[in-house]
Structures are given as C-alpha cells and as structure tokens.
RNA sequence: GCGCCCGUAGCUCAAUUGGAUAGAGCAUCGGCCUUCUAAGCCGAGGGUUGCAGGUUCAAUCCCUGCCGGGUGCGCCA
C-alpha cells in the first residue's frame, strides 16, 4: 500500500513544483511510515516537515498545500494533518478489501518481491571445522543463515547456500592425534595425551568406530578406516569423514541444506592459494621481513600488516580465506553474505584488504558480513554449559532433541544477530502461550479448525464467495487485522535487504496476537452467509500469511495441534 | 591499552533505519470455557531508554566523552 500512497504524494509534489510553491530542483525522498497509534490513521508521512525548510513555509501550512494537491483516488478514505505537520492517511474500505484479495489470490507468493531480479547471491554460513558436533553457536548461525537465504529467495535472488570447512589446518592434526590416543586406550588424564587434545566423548565413539573398520559416508565423501592405531593418515581421513557425517545429521535434523560444501584443501590442490599469493606479490602489496612474507593490509584500513607466509613456509589462515573469496567472486556472485560468529570478526578487514590488493575491481565493501553474538543456554534458571557428548559445550543436537526443531529454529532466529541471546530451554519446551512458537502455530491451526468445523456443518466456502462478501468486513478489529496483513510484503523486503530474519518472527507474533484477539471476540461461523464468507476469507488470509511467514523461518505450520 | 558489538519495565526482547503518548511476552495481581481448539482472551501495576553533553522542528536511533557487560587484538583457525 505504501508505494501507491508514495505515488500520490509524488504527484502532489510535482504539481506544487509546477505552481512554483516548491523549488523545481527539489527531489525529496518520500517516506511513508506505518502509524504506531490508530488515532494517526493507517499510514503517515513526514514529507511536509522535511520540505518545510527548502520551501520556506511552516510545516502545517505546507502539509495543507500537499493535501490539496493530492490527485483523486479510491485508496484513501480521509487525510488529516496532525501534530507538527504529519499527514495521516486513512485507508478506504475498497483498499483494505483489495489487500485481502491480494493475499487470497497470490497465496504462497504473497509477500514475495523481485528485488533480486534473478541475480546470484551466495550465503556462506555455519562453516564449522570438522572437529566435533555442532554447538549452539553454530545452531544460531544455521538458523540465521538459512532464514536469510529464505528471505533472499523470497526477494527474487538466485541463492547458493555454501558451507566452507577447514580440512587442512593444525586443528585437524590435533583431532587425528586425539583419536589416535583414544585408539591406544589413553584418556585425557594420561601422560601421553596430546596437548590441547579434544576430550569429548564423541572422540571415544570415533576411535571405536575406526578400530571397528567402519565405513562412513557423508555429504561429500566416503571412507573406511584402516583399523590401525599407528596409521595417522588413515585416522585423519576417517575422523574428518566421521565428523562431517555427524554434522550432516545435525543439519538435517535442523532442516538446513547446503548446495555446496567447499573444502579448504581444494584451494591448495587446485593452485588457487599460490595464484593469489603470486598476484599479491606482483601487485606490490607484499614485503619480506624476519623470514616471513607480509601483506600490507594497512593500505586498506587494517591497524597493522599481516603475515601471509610464515617462517616455516606455511600460509596463515587468511591467505586461503582470500583465495576462497576470490573464487566466490570469479563464480559470479554479485552479492555474498558471510554469516559467522562475532568472535571471528577480525577476519573481515583482512579478507577485504586481500581482495582489494588483487586489483580485480571487486567493490570495496564486498562481501557482506552478518555476525552473531554468543548464545547462553538456561535451564531451571541456571546456565547450562556442558553436554555429555561434546564435553565442553552444548550441542545443537541436544537442543533439537530436547525442545524440537521448530522451537529451536524460532528461538535462534527471533533475536537480532548482533545482540547476545539467552536460550531458555524451559520456555522453549513449554506448550502454552508462554511459548511464541506454539502461539503462532496455534493461530494457524485455529483457522484450519474453523474450516474443518465448516465442513462438519455441511457448509462450504469458495474464494469467489469470499471475495464477493468482503464489504461485510466492517468491524474495526477486522480492518486492523487486514492492515497488518498488508504490512507483510514490506516486512519481507526490509528483512531481506538488512539480513534481519528476526523482524519476521516479531511480525508473526504480533499478527498471531491480533488474530487470537479477534477470534475470541467475533465468531466466524455465523448464520449470515455473507458475513460468514467474508470472515472466512479474512481467516484464510491470516492463515496464508502465517504460513508464508513461518516458511521464511523454516518453522512448520501445523493444521492442528 | 586499541578495535568491534551490546546497554530499553524485575527477566527475555521489540521499536518500521530520525517521527507523534517507547511497545510485546514472561513473572506478579484480578477476571473469562453449556458458544468455531483455554496451546486462547480481557484488565491492572511496572520506564529519567547506563550517565553527561551536542546536532535537529523532532533522538532509544546520529556525533563526542565517560560508566558497565561481551568479544577480538598469534608467524592459531
């Protein structure tokens, strides 16, 4: 509805310019706000206050001129000037009816837009190292990242979900040594236990499986262990494959699917790391010092230069990172979003600096980053820190097993990524209105229930009947509900652009609340057929929007509860 | 010490990118089921938006300085 109102205002501005009331070179950004208070109408604009200064008029006077210059239309019932110079719009019955119609006709497509216009965007998220089960932090990344993908898809982007994992570094070596120690019957308290070895129970399971000669198959590899505790290479391969499979199961339980698993080792084997290093040297952004090769990242805003190649000849982690992101660029992703934990924040400057130093015409702020803060898990009012399986942290799987997939996804996606999150297990498990997930799903199930009751009564409803009866939606509560439905497309658009899925969760909570209130105050299945058909149309529209919204969060929309 | 994030009701969090009287839920208290699912609804109390300045017609939002919490600051990833 906003774009239509903006058009009206734009026409009003044009005619005031033509009259000479406004300077001809003025190109105002027309901003339409949803009103917070119904007393201010349905939509409002601050345009008159913005233009007061350049026009040399007081805001209220200018507001009146703008209102007088608005073209005739059927959208708006009434326009008022209020406060310091706000222009408030009251939507007509015809326009609210058209909103319900739009929802019912567009169905699953309602709320989608075409901002992306089919362009390619890649979202990299989770990207956990294959050294253990996914923890709650990875869960947050998985939930937020996947929801961002869903939002971008709903905005017309061609989305690739990608998982990058480090299968080449020192921690993999550490993993192999830890498994080997377990194969040899050592425990973390024994003398020969590797320094900083992984201590969790899952290492024991892994070692047993290896010594058993099991074959593990994961998303991208299959490997059979050599059953030999002295074959460190075999242990390494087995351990990586085994833990990849574990993570695959975690992600599957969480309903997160990736299109691409990208192996760090491939950057080396395909010469991409060497190629990037050569380019950086050729471009003159490097120097040797103390036996190491440095990249002059300070040329691109870093606070100190960074070592690329260590004294021992190995590369530091950010070199393959740069090679990886250059590869993303070459794959044609105009837009890339990296969702990761805020503790890896320091990589951003380095990766962007490395990309700039390639002189490859990569835009300066590329790629985008979404960083999420820590998650604290609470149960019974106390912080939970340990899981049996992993030993030192709460795993995603534990959480899904305990509170279910829907609640876990909702809770992890419903908060702004950049604030710390407290995950209350008791709340997430509760099957009552305390729990926002059930609250929203219940609203959906209630609508389904109404239609079941309708069928039981031997009555029916068709889209045509519903649309024809829309003028019967005369109550204020009905109109409020419709206006809220009308806001959904904007919620999706803004959430997608800002990479902020939490606003969808908040919107749904709000919409469900409005519906529950309405449901309790007005009976839908009344005797008057026209009123009944109109209310059924509204209920179905609410159901559709809740269903679409939950879909964006990856949460199910049950028919009954 | 430096960088980044956060600070809003007792608790968990919003606030449509600078708009009107800062909103929900939980918790507390009081009401509503012979009527479409009570996994629900209605009502009440609860605030100097960490502090102090600045910009603006207008600041929770932008700027500066403090205070408090988190996190990073390796030739680890």
């Amino acid at each position: 509805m906003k774009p239509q109102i903006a058009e009206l205002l734009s026409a009003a501005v044009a005619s005031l310019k033509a009259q000479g009331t406004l300077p001809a070179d003025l190109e105002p950004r027309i901003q339409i706000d949803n009103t917070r208070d119904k007393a201010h109408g349905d939509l409002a604009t601050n345009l008159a206050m913005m233009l007061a200064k350049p026009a040399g008029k007081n805001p209220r006077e200018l507001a009146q001129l703008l209102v007088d210059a608005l073209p005739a239309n059927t959208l708006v019932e009434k326009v008022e000037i209020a406060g310091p110079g706000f222009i408030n719009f009251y939507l007509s019955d015809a326009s609210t009816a058209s909103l319900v119609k739009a929802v019912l006709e567009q169905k699953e497509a309602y709320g989608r837009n075409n901002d992306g216009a089919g362009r390619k965007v890649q979202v990299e998220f989770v990207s956990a190292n294959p050294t253990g089960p996914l923890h709650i932090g990875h869960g947050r990344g998985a939930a937020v990242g996947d929801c961002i993908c869903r939002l971008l898809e709903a905005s017309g982007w061609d989305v690739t979900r990608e998982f990058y994992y480090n299968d080449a570094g020192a921690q993999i070596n550490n993993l192999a040594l830890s498994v080997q120690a377990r194969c040899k019957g050592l425990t973390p308290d024994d003398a020969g236990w590797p320094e900083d070895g992984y201590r969790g129970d899952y290492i024991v399971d892994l070692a047993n499986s290896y010594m058993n000669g099991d074959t593990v198959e994961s998303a991208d590899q299959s490997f059979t262990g050599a059953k030999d505790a002295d074959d460190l290479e075999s242990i390494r391969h087995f351990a990586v494959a085994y833990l990849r499979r574990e993570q695959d199961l975690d992600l599957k339980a969480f309903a997160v699917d990736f299109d691409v698993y990208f192996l760090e080792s491939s950057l080396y084997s395909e010469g991409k790391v060497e190629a990037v290093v050569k380019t950086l040297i050729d471009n003159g952004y490097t120097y040797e010092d103390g036996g190491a090769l440095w990249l002059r990242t300070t040329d691109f805003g870093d606070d100190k230069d960074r070592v690329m190649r260590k004294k021992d000849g190995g590369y530091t982690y950010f070199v393959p990172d740069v090679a990886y992101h250059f590869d993303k660029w070459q794959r044609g992703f105009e837009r890339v979003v990296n969702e990761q934990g805020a503790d890896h924040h320091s990589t951003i400057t380095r990766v962007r600096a490395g990309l700039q130093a390639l002189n490859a015409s990569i835009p300066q702020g590329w790629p985008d980053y979404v960083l999420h803060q820590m998650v604290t898990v609470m149960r019974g009012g106390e912080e939970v820190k340990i899981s049996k399986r992993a030993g030192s942290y709460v795993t995603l799987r534990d959480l899904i097993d305990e509170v279910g997939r829907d609640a876990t996804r909702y809770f992890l996606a419903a908060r702004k990524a950049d604030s710390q999150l407290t995950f209350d297990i008791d709340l997430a498990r509760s099957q009552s209105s305390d729990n926002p997930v059930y609250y929203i799903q219940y609203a959906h199930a209630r609508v389904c229930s109404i239609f079941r009751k309708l069928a039981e009564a031997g009555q029916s409803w068709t889209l045509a009947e519903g649309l024809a009866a829309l003028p019967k939606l005369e109550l204020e509560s009905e109109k409020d509900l419709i206006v809220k439905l009308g806001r959904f497309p904007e919620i999706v658009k803004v959430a997608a652009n800002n990479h902020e899925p939490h606003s969808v969760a908040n919107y749904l909570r709000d919409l469900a609340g409005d519906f529950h209130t309405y449901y309790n105050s007005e009976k839908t299945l009344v005797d008057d057929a026209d009123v009944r058909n109109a209310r059924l149309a509204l209920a179905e529209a609410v159901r559709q929007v809740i269903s679409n919204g939950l879909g964006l969060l990856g949460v199910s929309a049950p028919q009954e509860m």
Side-chain angles (χ1 to χ4, degrees), chain A residues 347-363:
Chain A
T347 65
I348 298 176
T349 313
R350 283 171 227 184
V351 168
R352 285 183 179 158
L355 291 170
Q356 291 304 303
L358 292 172
N359 291 345
S361 301
I362 298 173

Side-chain angles (χ1 to χ4, degrees), chain A residues 184-238:
Chain A
K184 293 181 170 177
L186 296 175
T187 70
D189 297 324
D190 290 334
W193 187 260
E195 201 178 342
D196 297 326
Y198 295 96
R199 308 165 77 99
D201 285 356
Y202 67 94
I203 298 290
V204 179
D205 298 339
L206 211 175
N208 288 339
S209 179
Y210 173 79
M211 294 307 280
N212 211 20
D214 291 348
T215 297
V216 289
E217 294 187 25
S218 68
D220 55 2
Q221 52 197 291
S222 169
F223 192 80
T224 305
K227 301 168 79 165
D228 177 358
D230 290 317
D231 188 344
L232 194 58
E233 261 322 288
S234 180
I235 291 176
R236 184 198 314 272
H237 278 121
F238 185 82

Side-chain angles (χ1 to χ4, degrees), chain A residues 32 38 48 73 87 104 110 192 200 204 206 244-245 262 269 304 332 350 356 404 408 415 458 462 520 527 532:
Chain A
I32 314 285
K38 270 191 300 183
N73 67 88
I87 302 174
L104 295 178
Y110 180 71
V204 179
L206 211 175
R244 275 257 23 98
R245 186 188 58 186
F262 197 101
S269 62
K304 53 184 165 186
R350 283 171 227 184
Q356 291 304 303
T408 305
R415 300 291 182 227
T462 64
N520 274 275
D527 291 335
R532 184 175 69 232

